[in-house]
Amino acid sequence: MEKSWVAPDTRHPNKLDRAVIFLGPPGAGKGTQAKELAKKYGVPHLSTGDMLREHVGKGTPLGKAAKPIMERGDLVPDSLVLQMIRERIERPDCSYGFVFDGFPRTVAQAKYLGELLKHHGYKRPFVIHLAIDSSILMRRLTGRRTCKVGGEIYNIYERPPKVEGICDADGGELMQRPDDREEVIGPRLQAYEKQTAPLAAYYGRLGLLHGIDAAKSVEEVGRQVLQSVQGVRGIR
Ligand code: ADP
Ligand code: AMP
């Protein structure tokens, strides 16, 4: 790998100095929690789903390849996702660490990430498993609405905006993701069970997994996430 890299910044001991990974099925609350955690530590929130949707929106070659795959609820091939992630984490804003949401999603992605982090001098990642019963997920996913401007996440049943269809934070229009329709949710959950769920055991064996009950309220899950992250080596 070439060295277009800014070394992890260790001058600020209370900064998040590593990658945090959110693991869990679609709808578990990865985006909601990852955004908050990244904001708290002032590090980038890296959602591979958001990045891929941006490519689709711009019609880039990657977007054109990913679009039909995402529309049917399958995973985009590792090779495409890994190149995208590598380019992203080699940017200087990642030198204090970063929060992944939706990545890694296969054991091959996790292995590649492990090598990449090691190569760039990072500590081992901290993995938060948002554990949740699948019966809750349909309501979370069909009810999800996202701000077109700032990406704020709402739920029409659980966390509605003050004014229907409008983001509280910036007045942006709320949209429903095309893959949050019932007929695509099924294949997405199947892809999770088959390709992503084994990552819990993978990270468990490495001693990096921290489980959290994701059926609790957003605030309670957030408290537990923070407690768990702060528990590692006294990060504040
Ligand atoms: P993921 O990124 O794992 O797919 P999101 O963070 O986008 O999940 O959350 C999915 C939906 O569930 C959103 O509509 C969000 O507002 C809602 N949600 C997230 N966490 C909770 C929670 N703890 N309780 C109730 N609803 C939640
Ligand atoms: P998400 O926004 O995380 O729910 O992801 C939306 C869709 O993007 C998924 O259903 C996949 O098609 C694709 N995707 C996101 N992240 C990955 C990844 N790490 N590997 C493969 N495909 C991904």
Side-chain angles (χ1 to χ4, degrees):
M1 286 175 197
E2 82 267 17
K3 285 264 179 191
S4 61
W5 174 248
V6 178
D9 193 325
T10 51
R11 288 169 302 170
H12 299 273
N14 290 335
K15 281 279 187 176
L16 188 69
D17 58 354
R18 66 194 77 197
V20 173
I21 293 169
F22 276 95
L23 206 61
K30 301 182 297 297
T32 303
Q33 297 299 337
K35 270 176 190 289
E36 273 307 302
L37 189 69
K39 197 156 83 182
K40 165 149 177 70
Y41 284 105
V43 297
H45 161 225
L46 306 184
S47 155
T48 39
D50 286 350
M51 291 179 193
L52 289 166
R53 279 185 288 277
E54 200 179 323
H55 277 281
V56 171
K58 287 182 176 159
T60 66
L62 169 56
K64 284 189 179 132
K67 187 169 187 269
I69 302 171
M70 294 169 77
E71 279 173 352
R72 60 173 189 264
D74 286 340
L75 293 188
V76 173
D78 289 340
S79 56
L80 300 180
V81 174
L82 291 174
Q83 192 187 343
M84 183 178 80
I85 273 296
R86 185 185 148 199
E87 285 168 10
R88 181 64 188 90
I89 74 168
E90 292 189 346
R91 290 202 216 143
D93 65 338
C94 283
S95 59
Y96 287 128
F98 33 90
V99 180
F100 281 125
D101 152 16
F103 178 85
R105 249 172 157 111
T106 63
V107 172
Q109 291 181 12
K111 287 185 173 161
Y112 179 89
L113 176 66
E115 289 303 314
L116 195 61
L117 294 176
K118 202 174 350 164
H119 177 78
H120 289 313
Y122 275 105
K123 298 198 169 73
R124 298 208 303 169
F126 186 75
V127 186
I128 296 173
H129 182 208
L130 295 181
I132 190 159
D133 193 282
S134 59
S135 60
I136 304 177
L137 298 175
M138 191 56 90
R139 186 177 160 91
R140 286 207 183 171
L141 291 169
T142 53
R144 173 161 58 190
R145 299 292 183 274
T146 313
C147 175
K148 279 184 176 176
V149 179
E152 203 73 24
I153 304 167
Y154 296 87
N155 190 287
I156 56 170
Y157 310 117
E158 307 278 344
R159 299 171 59 74
K162 292 195 182 94
V163 180
E164 193 186 324
I166 304 290
C167 178
D168 296 345
D170 57 22
E173 190 189 338
L174 301 187
M175 50 90 81
Q176 182 172 26
R177 277 171 45 175
D179 60 349
D180 276 345
R181 286 173 294 121
E182 273 191 55
E183 58 271 32
V184 192
I185 292 172
R188 286 167 64 206
L189 294 177
Q190 279 164 20
Y192 173 80
E193 282 308 323
K194 197 163 162 219
Q195 291 165 278
T196 311
L199 283 181
Y202 173 82
Y203 282 121
R205 278 193 298 275
L206 295 176
L208 302 174
L209 196 72
H210 301 258
I212 285 178
D213 177 4
K216 299 246 167 68
S217 71
V218 168
E219 294 70 24
E220 181 53 29
V221 176
R223 263 193 296 278
Q224 291 189 24
V225 165
L226 210 54
Q227 216 171 47
S228 177
V229 172
Q230 287 172 344
V232 189
R233 187 217 74 128
I235 299 174
R236 303 250 180 277

